[in-house]
Amino acid sequence: MIKLSNIYKKYPNGHEALRHVSMHIKKGEMVFLTGHSGAGKSTLLKLIMLLESATRGQISVAGKELENLPKRKIPYLRRNIGVIFQDPYLMPERTIYENVALPLTVRGARYQDVDRNVRAALDLVGLLGKEQRYPQALSGGEQQRVSIARAIVNRPPLLLADEPTGNLDPELSADIMHLFEKLNQTGTTMLIASHDLSLLATMQHRMLTLKQGELVHDS
């Protein structure tokens, strides 16, 4: 599903964010990406979703070589990638239903398809019945669940998460991680960046460790 070959990323200011990174994540795997702050975790995720480009090396996602992908096809690639950040980034003036439906409505999906998929996503994250509430009426953990529902509403085969539990307490963090496991069991490939080693140690999944931009551990 994801293959990186000798990836190198250097920014204009001279900072080397990634060096000689190679990895292969198979379809259906759930993999954690860890490392200290500034190790290159976020940069690596941005390269996979084509928010940034590698300085050198090759990246393929679902068989598509990203360095050769025409710009007009980038939006189509991103439709197959669900993304979750540390902050939910919900629209406060829109209901939970409207927030989750956004990826479908911008694509012009039929109302029947939007309604079915939104309700299925909210049911999966345990928020069905709260779809007409607004984000400010929900707890932090519930808001993060809404962002997860939004990321999976169009049923992407790949899900990327960048410190998705960074703002949550340990109990809520564990709940979110178990929700990710539930999603993975449906066949979704997952790459989750997190620095919470104590939580990841309980998850029994493959772990990739970055240190100063280099991949130093794969277990």
Side-chain angles (χ1 to χ4, degrees):
M1 175 61 76
I2 303 173
K3 189 173 183 180
L4 282 71
S5 301
N6 199 28
I7 289 299
Y8 180 85
K9 176 62 178 179
K10 185 175 183 179
Y11 287 101
N13 64 2
H15 173 60
E16 296 179 346
L18 295 171
R19 292 190 297 274
H20 314 300
V21 175
S22 297
M23 65 176 67
H24 183 201
I25 297 173
K26 297 178 181 179
K27 183 178 179 180
E29 268 197 288
M30 181 174 176
V31 179
F32 292 114
L33 180 66
T34 189
H36 60 86
S37 178
K41 302 187 299 296
S42 294
T43 298
L44 191 149
L45 294 180
K46 288 177 182 177
L47 295 181
I48 294 172
M49 65 183 84
L50 274 177
L51 292 178
E52 296 183 3
S53 299
T55 305
R56 290 202 305 270
Q58 292 79 42
I59 302 176
S60 67
V61 177
K64 295 180 175 61
E65 300 291 338
L66 300 193
E67 66 270 20
N68 298 322
L69 194 68
K71 287 185 178 181
R72 69 179 186 279
K73 292 189 177 182
I74 292 176
Y76 297 98
L77 175 79
R78 289 176 179 160
R79 288 180 184 179
N80 291 312
I81 303 176
V83 182
I84 301 161
F85 297 100
Q86 181 172 331
D87 295 310
Y89 294 114
L90 303 178
M91 296 184 177
E93 74 281 2
R94 298 196 180 192
T95 64
I96 300 310
Y97 184 101
E98 292 169 333
N99 270 278
V100 174
L102 190 60
L104 298 174
T105 55
V106 298
R107 289 170 52 183
R110 297 187 309 162
Y111 170 77
Q112 296 91 330
D113 294 334
V114 172
D115 191 62
R116 181 178 65 251
N117 287 3
V118 169
R119 293 184 183 280
L122 287 172
D123 187 32
L124 193 59
V125 302
L127 290 177
L128 191 61
K130 296 186 178 183
E131 58 266 28
Q132 294 308 316
R133 297 188 184 184
Y134 288 85
Q136 58 267 33
L138 302 182
S139 68
E142 288 175 326
Q143 289 185 30
Q144 190 63 299
R145 285 174 178 267
V146 174
S147 75
I148 294 171
R150 181 180 58 195
I152 65 171
V153 71
N154 62 347
R155 302 176 184 177
L158 173 62
L159 191 66
L160 306 177
D162 191 1
E163 300 288 356
T165 62
N167 292 331
L168 304 178
D169 64 37
E171 184 175 355
L172 289 175
S173 296
D175 287 344
I176 293 297
M177 286 300 184
H178 290 311
L179 175 56
F180 285 147
E181 284 191 313
K182 185 177 179 181
L183 292 172
N184 177 244
Q185 290 167 5
T186 68
T188 304
T189 305
M190 309 188 72
L191 178 59
I192 303 167
S194 175
H195 64 271
D196 191 343
L197 294 177
S198 59
L199 175 59
L200 301 188
T202 69
M203 301 298 293
Q204 307 279 319
H205 290 281
R206 181 182 172 196
M207 191 180 303
L208 305 171
T209 304
L210 289 173
K211 183 177 181 181
Q212 296 179 345
E214 296 186 3
L215 183 64
V216 297
H217 192 66
D218 182 350
S219 63

